[in-house]
Amino acid sequence: MSSETAEAQGLKVVDAYDLDDELRSILKPGEMVRDAQGRRHRLPRYFYEIPSHEAALATRLTPHFGMNELILTDLKEAPRLQDYPRYVPCAVRILAFYLEQFRTACGASVHIAVNGAYRSPSHKLSMNATPHMWGTAADIYRIGTSILKTKELIEKYNDIAEDLSDEVMVLPYGHVTGRNADDHVHLDLGFITLIPREISEDRMEQPQENRPRFAFEERRRKERRGPVASSED
């Protein structure tokens, strides 16, 4: 789905540096986090703002995948993100594209688990950096009428997922959390950050790490307000 379609359905792109202190502390835009192998990755900065549950239900990212399916979480998510407006990294639309291709290849409906797509860095399952925190991974628990709980089924659909693209990674069948999966197919596109076309990259300056951003944010507020009128008559 193009960014213009997202705008038309009531979604807007937000720079997470412009959100309030609580949301920034939850979403951690631009922060570096380590994955299970110790590699560092920078968290997303640009998000779709989803104003309501109704908007999430109404927003179709592809013919068969809606926004609501990709932000479905339970009480493990940070309390602020259990309410609306909700925020999801813009790269979620790339995930939806690959899920649509996966559905076509499977020839059956694809069902994503609760907590199975976007999870914020503050989610209780977000122990290390994973593509779930970028909105670019999905845990699929059912395909058609088949519940994915056997080695045979998981390996079958893992093979289909890997055939979609060299960029798609899966977890092999097994019982080690984070390294294997024994009750779902994990479709993973890696740590993709999407900068929407309406964002100018000359605004991509990074605040100084571990220091307040007040001067940075005050300048941004002035830019949005426009030039100050002269006090002279």
Side-chain angles (χ1 to χ4, degrees):
M1 182 177 92
S2 70
S3 58
E4 290 87 350
T5 304
E7 291 280 340
Q9 294 190 340
L11 299 182
K12 67 178 182 179
V13 174
V14 299
D15 181 341
Y17 285 163
D18 291 336
L19 298 175
D20 62 58
D21 290 347
E22 182 184 10
L23 280 170
R24 284 204 307 268
S25 70
I26 291 169
L27 298 173
K28 307 181 190 298
E31 290 191 20
M32 300 295 289
V33 291
R34 294 185 183 274
D35 63 22
Q37 290 74 43
R39 298 169 298 204
R40 283 159 48 92
H41 306 276
R42 191 177 299 280
L43 287 165
R45 173 173 174 175
Y46 295 103
F47 291 76
Y48 287 129
E49 183 177 85
I50 305 164
S52 66
H53 178 61
E54 291 72 24
L57 288 171
T59 301
R60 306 304 300 176
L61 296 170
T62 69
H64 296 101
F65 291 92
M67 183 68 81
N68 185 62
E69 299 169 83
L70 303 181
I71 62 170
L72 189 60
T73 57
D74 58 19
L75 297 180
K76 296 182 181 70
E77 184 55 275
R80 176 75 182 270
L81 296 184
Q82 295 173 31
D83 296 323
Y84 289 89
R86 298 275 296 276
Y87 298 88
V88 60
C90 293
V92 72
R93 69 193 193 205
I94 301 175
L95 174 64
F97 170 82
Y98 276 98
L99 286 170
E100 187 72 24
Q101 307 311 304
F102 181 63
R103 185 186 192 277
T104 298
C106 292
S109 57
V110 170
H111 301 268
I112 300 167
V114 175
N115 301 311
Y118 176 60
R119 302 196 291 254
S120 82
S122 301
H123 193 286
K124 289 181 180 177
L125 295 179
S126 299
M127 304 302 293
N128 298 300
T130 75
H132 287 288
M133 295 154 63
W134 277 251
T136 52
D139 294 336
I140 298 159
Y141 78 96
R142 179 162 63 91
I143 296 176
T145 59
S146 300
I147 304 296
L148 304 182
K149 285 194 172 182
T150 68
K151 183 175 186 289
E152 179 183 20
L153 279 174
I154 290 173
E155 289 184 344
K156 171 186 174 180
Y157 289 112
N158 275 353
D159 288 344
I160 292 174
E162 289 184 308
D163 284 344
L164 295 176
S165 168
D166 289 342
E167 303 305 316
V168 175
M169 192 201 84
V170 298
L171 292 179
Y173 180 84
H175 308 291
V176 180
T177 301
R179 296 177 59 185
N180 308 121
D182 60 6
D183 61 357
H184 65 275
V185 165
H186 173 85
L187 190 153
D188 178 335
L189 303 177
F191 302 91
I192 300 173
T193 298
L194 187 151
I195 302 172
R197 60 169 57 91
E198 57 266 47
I199 297 297
S200 173
E201 292 189 59
D202 63 10
R203 300 175 69 243
M204 287 291 289
E205 67 258 59
Q206 295 291 337
Q208 296 182 43
E209 292 188 7
N210 302 319
R211 295 186 61 183
R213 295 191 293 266
F214 300 131
F216 172 84
E217 291 171 349
E218 179 59 24
R219 175 167 58 78
R220 290 286 300 284
R221 284 193 290 271
K222 288 178 180 178
E223 289 174 354
R224 288 196 298 274
R225 286 196 295 264
V228 178
S230 172
S231 60
E232 297 178 0
D233 293 334

